[in-house]
Amino acid sequence: MPIAKPSLEAPDRPDLPDVLPYRMNGHHVVVVEPVPLGAGGRPTAQAVQFLRECQSHALTVTWSVPQDDALCRTPSALDFPLHHLRHLPPPDGPVPDDWRSAYAYGRFYHRQGPGFVQIKDRRDPDAAVRLTVDHPDLVSTFGTCLQPTPLDDLSSTEREAVSVLAAEGLVLVTRGWAVTLPPRIRHWPVPDTGI
């Protein structure tokens, strides 16, 4: 029987959403065009999904927003709470709301179990919480919104679940679109108590 030889190929690249043009070199992702994070709606939901998945895979990300983006111009005009995004890597350039100093890997993440989701939220270090979501409608909607989802495509029960999840800062709702915020951590630091 032949002996299997170890593969010398690079490990598989993470499966990132195909919503933003990017280049990847090792564990570094460079988004090649400015990201309209302050635009709201689908573009914002897709950008959040992309950044969330990069963090899920412990990738460093270099990205920027257009100069005329509401995020830089008038963050108070955004239709979502900007502080809910502090767990995502901040963009290059000026960042409002102390995003850069508040960001750290593992501040906000989820772990999936059979019929439940556990969430650790340390976006505000003075009010860190651990949550277990186990209501079937909430768990299902949390999973559905891992992909940016138009609210119009959801049932009335799912829209109610989105409202509950958004009130807890677990889902971002912007101009008729919803997206789950906490990443699933796939790469744990050593020691894992660091996050």
Side-chain angles (χ1 to χ4, degrees):
M1 177 183 295
I3 298 174
K5 296 181 181 178
S7 172
L8 299 177
E9 295 178 16
D12 291 341
R13 291 170 57 131
D15 186 22
L16 296 177
D18 189 22
V19 295
L20 297 175
Y22 68 93
R23 291 188 313 268
M24 182 180 234
N25 184 7
H27 289 283
H28 187 218
V29 174
V30 177
V31 180
V32 297
E33 295 175 3
V35 177
L37 191 67
R42 184 179 186 167
T44 296
Q46 288 178 328
V48 168
Q49 175 200 24
F50 183 86
L51 295 170
R52 183 196 69 216
E53 290 306 305
C54 286
Q55 186 174 36
S56 177
H57 292 284
L59 301 171
T60 57
V61 183
T62 301
W63 65 287
S64 64
V65 295
Q67 290 182 349
D68 63 344
D69 193 273
L71 178 72
C72 297
R73 242 186 11 219
T74 51
S76 61
L78 297 173
D79 71 337
F80 56 87
L82 184 56
H83 68 273
H84 283 180
L85 302 183
R86 285 190 199 170
H87 67 289
L88 299 173
D92 287 351
V95 179
D97 193 34
D98 73 346
W99 192 345
R100 195 170 315 286
S101 64
Y103 170 74
Y105 180 75
R107 287 262 166 128
F108 188 39
Y109 61 87
H110 81 271
R111 298 172 74 181
Q112 187 81 36
F116 68 92
V117 177
Q118 287 185 328
I119 297 144
K120 184 171 182 182
D121 186 354
R122 295 185 315 128
R123 289 173 290 183
D124 179 354
D126 296 330
V129 297
R130 286 182 187 265
L131 302 168
T132 299
V133 176
D134 58 2
H135 189 282
D137 293 334
L138 295 175
V139 172
S140 174
T141 303
F142 183 94
T144 297
C145 291
L146 287 168
Q147 299 293 320
T149 305
L151 294 176
D152 290 342
D153 289 357
L154 299 174
S155 70
S156 60
T157 301
E158 290 170 321
R159 283 194 298 275
E160 186 177 335
V162 163
S163 295
V164 170
L165 294 168
E168 293 296 328
L170 305 178
V171 167
L172 181 77
V173 176
T174 173
R175 296 190 185 164
W177 285 76
V179 64
T180 298
L181 287 170
R184 177 178 158 235
I185 298 292
R186 291 176 168 88
H187 301 278
W188 291 88
V190 177
D192 68 349
T193 56
I195 61 172

